[in-house]
Amino acid sequence: QHPSVNPVSILSLPLPELSKKLRDGSLPPDHVFYAYVGKALQLATETNCITEFLQESETQVRKTKLMEKQGLLYGVPVSIKDSIDCQGHDTTLGFINNLNKPAAEDSVVVQVLKRQGAIPFVKTNVPQSLISYDCKNLIFGQTRNPLMFTRTPGGSSGGEGALIGGSGSILGIGTDVGGSLRFPAAFCGICAIKPTGNRLSKRGVMSGVVGQKAVAAAVGPLAKDVESLALCLKALLSEDMFSLDSTVPPLPFNEEVYSSTKPLRIGYYETDFFTMPSPAMRRAVRETKQLLEEAGHTLVPFEITNVDHVIFNYCVRGMFSDGGRSFVKKFKGEMEKGGTALFFWLAKAPHWLKTLLSGISKPFVPRFSSIIRSMKENTVDEVWSLHHEIQDFCHQFIAQWKKLNLDVMLCPMLGPALGIGYPAKLSVAVSYTMLYNVLDFPAGVVPVTLATDEDEEQLKDYKGYYQDWWDRTLVKAFRGGVGMPVAVQCVALPWQEELCLRFMKEVETL
């Protein structure tokens, strides 16, 4: 209908520039909208990343033109993860049981986006239950990585990663309880930030394990660059959000911290001694560290210890304190075969059998033995003391951070993207991201390099720290990733999203 519209030039604009043109009227909202709808449609056929087109978005584009007050995201098309409520649409979490149960109202995040002039236009795919960093379910099937179709886009915000990574959306909203924003960003070569758990409202956002308080979930944005993430947070951290959800602290975006240029004191580590980093991951941290030092920042080695205890005792035991019972219940009648089958069998096994299996497997597969041990049903008393232990751990970690007088931390991020199907077999590889959900620190991901032939060559020497089945599988999952993006993680202390973004911006610029 608009032969004069040049979608290529619209799609090439970065978000800050696009939103400026929309606000000053040099680009009409409908031109931008249809340029993205066209691109999103093309990507959906290639990668299977979209679950639904939000029909009402077309009406909204027309209404946007009549808005009195232009919000910060005026006329910007935004993609929304399946697990975030949009009025009149299903929030499936990849479960057939959740079909044809449309949400009664928009989640708070979606309401705020609309008040800021944004136009939610599609919902994107997720793995069944969200507790996975692949992106496949029985309703919509498997989403593929737009940069290499044989690789996973990551998860659980995998549809978002694929859509934005392939330029079919300029800004997306996802969630993260173990790396679900950071995996798709890292695997698809884009940026994302997982804020402190309660910085953005989670009202109307469905979770994979409801009610657990041990591991903090968060809502956050994904985009091509850091500036876009910052713009999104500025828009969301508004009076609207604080009035729609009074449990969110009324902390507006701190521009001063974000735009500061004073040199930073940065902690860093190359490995967590639990998941051995791929050669590309190590190189990404080393090269970034060197560039930061050359730019005048101070880098201080940080010692990470006891990650195995964090993963088994806090993450597995914390998220499945009832022995995984309530989680398994959701899969009634729609079990997928594959990597999760063993997990379900374990969750259903009686306590005595778990104890026996854990004992027998300990000498051969210590990590598997620990997982079985963590999957037991806890008494109320045990859950309370676990929460107390996590609090203590968090304070100790902060004490170590403060002792070194750090501003932020540079950490590895799993990469390059694993082959499709591997995440289900490699749940233990979430150690780099999950740590910061347990601590509830803001953590973002910035792509810094591409996997090289040399990295691939060095994989031949990859043994892993446990040399168990998981380590042997992980090296296979990394193989064949030459040319794929590799990212680093940027971390700050709780409620310091602006400082985290400032650090991410620094890394991105360098």
Side-chain angles (χ1 to χ4, degrees), residues 1 7 32 38 74 100 104-105 200 209-210 215 228 266 274 284 290 305 327 330-331 341 346 453:
Q1 289 178 334
V32 174
Y74 173 78
N100 305 320
E105 60 173 353
L200 295 177
V209 182
V210 186
V215 183
S228 306
I266 304 162
F274 179 78
Q290 194 180 340
T305 52
F327 183 65
K330 292 186 176 163
F331 287 81
L346 269 179
D453 289 318

Side-chain angles (χ1 to χ4, degrees), residues 24 300 361 384 435 438 469:
D24 69 19
V300 186
S361 58
W384 286 348
L435 173 64
V438 172
W469 181 80

Side-chain angles (χ1 to χ4, degrees), residues 198-506:
N198 213 28
R199 186 84 199 252
L200 295 177
S201 173
K202 286 181 279 198
R203 282 207 63 185
V205 176
M206 300 303 131
S207 94
V209 182
V210 186
Q212 68 84 18
K213 292 266 192 251
V215 183
V219 172
L222 306 94
K224 281 266 168 103
D225 53 62
V226 180
E227 198 61 52
S228 306
L229 301 177
L231 179 65
C232 181
L233 281 185
K234 278 174 213 172
L236 288 174
L237 294 170
S238 61
E239 272 313 313
D240 285 330
M241 175 160 303
F242 311 138
S243 64
L244 286 166
D245 183 353
S246 300
T247 66
V248 173
L251 286 174
F253 190 87
N254 189 333
E255 185 59 54
E256 197 183 324
V257 172
Y258 176 58
S259 51
S260 153
T261 53
K262 76 173 178 63
L264 297 167
R265 204 173 149 82
I266 304 162
Y268 75 95
Y269 55 93
E270 282 181 24
T271 177
D272 64 4
F273 299 105
F274 179 78
T275 305
M276 185 179 272
S278 66
M281 286 164 71
R282 259 187 214 274
R283 186 172 58 75
V285 173
R286 279 182 191 160
E287 288 176 3
T288 308
K289 169 194 178 262
Q290 194 180 340
L291 289 169
L292 286 161
E293 279 178 329
E294 286 164 10
H297 302 285
T298 309
L299 277 98
V300 186
F302 189 92
E303 207 170 313
I304 286 279
T305 52
N306 293 350
V307 169
D308 53 346
H309 186 77
V310 171
I311 293 298
F312 301 128
N313 258 13
Y314 302 163
C315 301
V316 180
R317 202 177 135 211
M319 286 181 74
F320 307 110
S321 295
D322 61 351
R325 193 154 291 181
S326 56
F327 183 65
V328 168
K329 228 189 277 173
K330 292 186 176 163
F331 287 81
K332 200 170 176 324
E334 41 183 308
M335 249 309 291
E336 265 206 297
K337 296 287 170 279
T340 36
L342 179 65
F343 177 85
F344 287 99
W345 183 83
L346 269 179
K348 288 177 174 163
H351 182 58
W352 65 266
L353 185 56
K354 289 181 192 168
T355 312
L356 181 70
L357 277 172
S358 175
I360 295 171
S361 58
K362 193 167 186 190
F364 312 106
V365 270
R367 288 198 283 186
F368 182 60
S369 161
S370 302
I371 282 193
I372 303 174
R373 210 175 51 243
S374 313
M375 286 288 298
K376 74 179 186 70
E377 230 173 295
N378 290 266
T379 62
V380 173
D381 191 33
E382 286 168 331
V383 174
W384 286 348
S385 83
L386 174 70
H387 289 177
H388 180 65
E389 210 183 307
I390 291 173
Q391 262 177 332
D392 271 356
F393 166 68
C394 184
H395 289 303
Q396 282 162 13
F397 197 94
I398 292 171
Q400 186 183 348
W401 181 297
K402 296 248 162 107
K403 197 173 161 187
L404 296 171
N405 197 15
L406 304 178
D407 295 310
V408 287
M409 185 110 81
L410 171 69
C411 322
M413 177 64 211
L414 198 75
L418 310 185
I420 281 176
Y422 276 107
K425 304 172 189 165
L426 289 163
S427 52
V428 290
V430 299
S431 59
Y432 288 101
T433 46
M434 196 109 186
L435 173 64
Y436 296 108
N437 292 89
V438 172
L439 289 165
D440 199 12
F441 286 14
V445 151
V446 183
V448 293
T449 186
L450 301 174
T452 63
D453 289 318
E454 199 183 327
D455 296 326
E456 186 78 8
E457 185 58 33
Q458 287 177 8
L459 272 174
K460 291 189 175 128
D461 305 323
Y462 185 96
K463 294 278 186 288
Y465 294 117
Y466 293 82
Q467 295 176 25
D468 55 7
W469 181 80
W470 276 316
D471 281 339
R472 289 193 293 278
T473 308
L474 185 55
V475 71
K476 287 183 200 155
F478 283 139
R479 277 200 193 113
V482 174
M484 290 298 275
V486 181
V488 292
Q489 249 188 129
C490 302
V491 178
L493 290 175
W495 310 107
Q496 309 257 344
E497 282 68 23
E498 295 85 348
L499 183 58
C500 185
L501 286 164
R502 139 99 221 261
F503 177 34
M504 289 167 71
K505 182 92 186 123
E506 197 78 16

